[in-house]
Amino acid sequence: MSGQERSQSPEMSDSSVRVALINLLAAHARSNSRSSAIAQLFGSGRITFVGEDDDEEDADYMDNDSDENEDWRDDPSYMDDEPYGASRPQKLWTAPPTTPQDAGVELIKSGEFGRVSPKIRARRGHNNLAKVISNRLSRPHPALYKEDYASSIVPNSNGVVVANYDSNIYTAQFSKDSSFFYTCSQDFRLNLFDTTAAPIPHKPRKRTNSLGFDLKTTMKLNRSIQGEHGRWTITDANLSPNNERIVYSSITSTAYMCSTIDDDPTQIPIPFHDHPARNRLDDWHTGVGSLALYSCRFSADGNEIIAGGRGEIFVYDLLANKRSVKISAHEDDVNSCTWADTASGNVLVSASDDNTLKVWDRRSLGASQEPSGVLVGHTEGITYVSAKGDGRYVLSNGKDQAMRLWDLRKMRTKAEYDSYPRHRYSLPNFDYRYPNYPKPKFQAHPGDCSVMTYRGHSVLITLIRCHFSPAETTGGQYVYSGSADGRVHIWSLDGTVVDVLDRSKTLAMNFDPSGLEFPRNTSPSRSNCVRDVSWHSEQPVMISAAWESLRLGSTLARHEWKGLSKMANSLPDWNQKEEEEKAELERRSVRRSPRLNRRYRLMPGNYDDGDDDDEQGDDEDYVE
């Protein structure tokens, strides 16, 4: 649950008071230098609150004298800008690995994340697209797979603003086929953009109606829907598989569904409370047993909706028009839930502030509401869970500043989870809304069953989201996340950082997203918090949604692949690599029989790329 959502509670802890004071001081920082100075004192820890205990000495704490990551943590080159609303950069206590991790390499080689051969060629440095395409097309029976030439093309630009909002965006995603891009925001408005239409060149469009809705965008706005007002904000939204309906939730017991093709769509209530509402105000159900929905998703066939709230998850059957499943799933808020697979819809996954993810099989619930398994590893609450869609792998973001990849076949049983000592593995009094994460006691839960951990981003301020890269073009071999440091972080499955896109360097709306990327100096006072980001399923394009720190509102930015000019190697590096490849090909050609050599060379228009598509023996030559 986000900070704004929790602020509805009448109880306020010391940390909540601290956050409120810091936000108030930051709002006046520009006009009042004294306020700015005081805010810096709060952020630096030189002013503390009475009752805020220092960390106790504990034998199970991380080694406080360890200097393994000190140089990296104190290096300002990695995080040289202030995070959202903060007075100093957030320390990252564990550096992301610089070399591939064995567990991640095994995942890449497993074949469960797309074709193996293009990944192997990419690791060898054989990324010449002209050769790949020409070699395949010149064969008697050409077979050209999109992943072969698109798997190594990753969005690598800091982006150009394509939309300005006057309120904070909570969900920003492409549709399943990427023909639409949709958002939901704190003003209870849902916007649907047509991504197949050409952008409006250079001049932003401003749409204003009698409701006070104000949006500036260079994208074609297909539909703008005013949702039913709930509490504080729309917490989540999801587009149906056929793009014809959208469902959204708020901090109430009722979600709403409406059409995306009608000019004046009817808002259809989806009640999840035990007792039917007598009037619209009863939909809020603020009394005993009240609900607050933080997540909602359509099933793969669009006939059911899964939702999660205060410790519970639900499934609503749209055909029968009734709630079909209610599970008391967690001891704390369910921040996110999803379907594990796109085939059956029987396996559900929930992520909670009780630091666990739980897996539920609807076929085995029966009279006992026991989970099929528990995914243990995070030491703080979990902000989001995303499924690969194959019923095996899910990805989660945690407030312990770690993103973890899970294999459902390796989950702990409920009995195993209950056998762990009930020790507090999270930090006492830690509040993720405050832009600082203290040094953690534990790197992971002692029963950690995740297969990979990804670090380097900042999961603070709000419920930061994470996702798999599209299977159609990359095989899902990358994972990516927003971050409170104002960046989009992209990792390979093997744990190494592929790229970091800096939203503080995003260009203004009058630039062309597909044009040259001009340098932009980063202003120390310009900070963002990237809550959500989405990768186009067919193109090397991302769109990220960032909250702006200096004003109420947010922006969408389009990030594209800018070719060799944005890649790490210089032109002499590429020339040297080309010479090395030629020498390697000459060495390999000696091993061919003269008859095959002659036949290969005589093929019109062919490049002699000896290992292209040579999948046999690829594992032996795999470079780790």
Side-chain angles (χ1 to χ4, degrees), residues 596-606:
L596 290 178
N597 243 349
R598 181 175 180 275
R599 181 178 178 182
Y600 196 89
R601 288 196 305 269
L602 292 177
M603 189 172 293
N606 194 31

Side-chain angles (χ1 to χ4, degrees), residues 7 41 86 92 103-104 119 147 157 192 198-199 207 209 216 333 344 375 391 405 410 432-433 445-446 510 528 540 582:
S7 66
L41 290 176
L92 299 180
K119 299 179 179 63
E147 189 182 339
S157 67
L192 194 67
R207 295 177 58 89
N209 60 20
K216 298 178 181 178
D333 290 337
S344 65
L375 300 174
L405 178 64
K410 299 181 180 180
Y432 79 104
R433 297 171 295 174
H445 189 283
N510 58 317
N528 304 290
K582 289 180 180 179

Side-chain angles (χ1 to χ4, degrees), residues 255-497:
Y256 285 89
M257 181 179 67
C258 63
S259 170
T260 60
I261 57 179
D262 297 336
D263 292 332
D264 187 16
T266 302
Q267 306 286 331
I268 303 173
I270 309 294
F272 290 97
H273 200 267
D274 289 332
H275 308 290
R278 289 171 301 202
N279 56 59
R280 180 166 295 178
L281 292 179
D282 285 348
D283 289 343
W284 287 26
H285 289 291
T286 56
V288 178
S290 63
L291 301 179
L293 301 178
Y294 304 119
S295 179
C296 58
R297 291 285 182 280
F298 277 103
S299 60
D301 59 9
N303 293 329
E304 292 181 303
I305 294 173
I306 184 176
R310 289 179 177 158
E312 297 176 313
I313 59 174
F314 313 90
V315 175
Y316 195 91
D317 189 333
L318 295 175
L319 298 180
N321 195 25
K322 67 177 183 179
R323 190 186 69 192
S324 58
V325 174
K326 175 185 176 182
I327 305 173
S328 297
H330 292 270
E331 299 173 358
D332 210 329
D333 290 337
V334 175
N335 291 325
S336 182
C337 56
T338 190
W339 312 86
D341 62 337
T342 57
S344 65
N346 288 318
V347 181
L348 318 175
V349 183
S350 56
S352 170
D353 271 334
D354 66 7
N355 307 349
T356 66
L357 296 97
K358 293 185 179 179
V359 183
W360 311 86
D361 192 330
R362 298 164 63 181
R363 297 163 295 188
S364 61
L365 287 176
S368 174
Q369 290 196 337
E370 293 291 328
S372 300
V374 184
L375 300 174
V376 188
H378 285 290
T379 59
E380 302 287 350
I382 301 166
T383 65
Y384 196 73
V385 59
S386 177
K388 184 172 179 287
D390 57 359
R392 294 182 177 179
Y393 294 99
V394 296
L395 189 69
S396 64
N397 243 355
K399 299 174 186 177
D400 54 0
Q401 315 306 299
M403 182 169 64
R404 299 184 186 274
L405 178 64
W406 311 88
D407 186 340
L408 300 190
R409 296 166 293 186
K410 299 181 180 180
M411 60 187 177
R412 306 298 186 196
T413 64
K414 180 66 163 54
E416 288 176 323
Y417 174 67
D418 291 338
S419 68
Y420 296 124
R422 289 295 181 178
H423 183 78
R424 184 185 179 96
Y425 300 102
S426 57
L427 291 171
N429 302 320
F430 166 62
D431 189 340
Y432 79 104
R433 297 171 295 174
Y434 181 62
N436 178 49
Y437 181 63
K439 190 171 185 177
K441 297 180 179 182
F442 304 91
Q443 287 276 27
H445 189 283
D448 184 14
C449 60
S450 62
V451 294
M452 278 297 297
T453 302
Y454 306 92
R455 300 185 185 273
H457 61 316
S458 178
V459 187
L460 298 166
I461 307 298
T462 184
L463 302 181
I464 305 293
R465 301 187 169 193
C466 58
H467 306 278
F468 288 95
S469 64
E472 294 87 345
T473 53
T474 69
Q477 66 170 310
Y478 306 106
V479 291
Y480 61 100
S481 173
S483 179
D485 64 8
R487 295 168 168 89
V488 178
H489 295 253
I490 308 172
W491 297 264
S492 169
L493 280 179
D494 61 23
T496 57
V497 176

Side-chain angles (χ1 to χ4, degrees), residues 576-589:
Q576 181 181 355
K577 183 178 292 185
E578 191 75 14
E579 294 297 327
E580 293 174 353
E581 288 180 2
K582 289 180 180 179
E584 176 68 13
L585 292 177
E586 291 176 359
R587 182 182 64 82
R588 293 190 177 205
S589 65

Side-chain angles (χ1 to χ4, degrees), residues 158-196:
N158 293 319
V160 173
V161 172
V162 293
N164 277 324
Y165 284 65
D166 283 344
S167 57
N168 285 336
I169 297 173
Y170 277 73
T171 298
Q173 285 291 300
F174 282 106
S175 61
K176 185 177 180 180
D177 61 2
S178 294
S179 60
F180 293 98
F181 187 84
Y182 63 96
T183 65
C184 70
S185 50
Q186 198 170 355
D187 58 0
F188 288 87
R189 184 164 289 275
L190 302 107
N191 291 320
L192 194 67
F193 300 95
D194 184 355
T195 57
T196 63

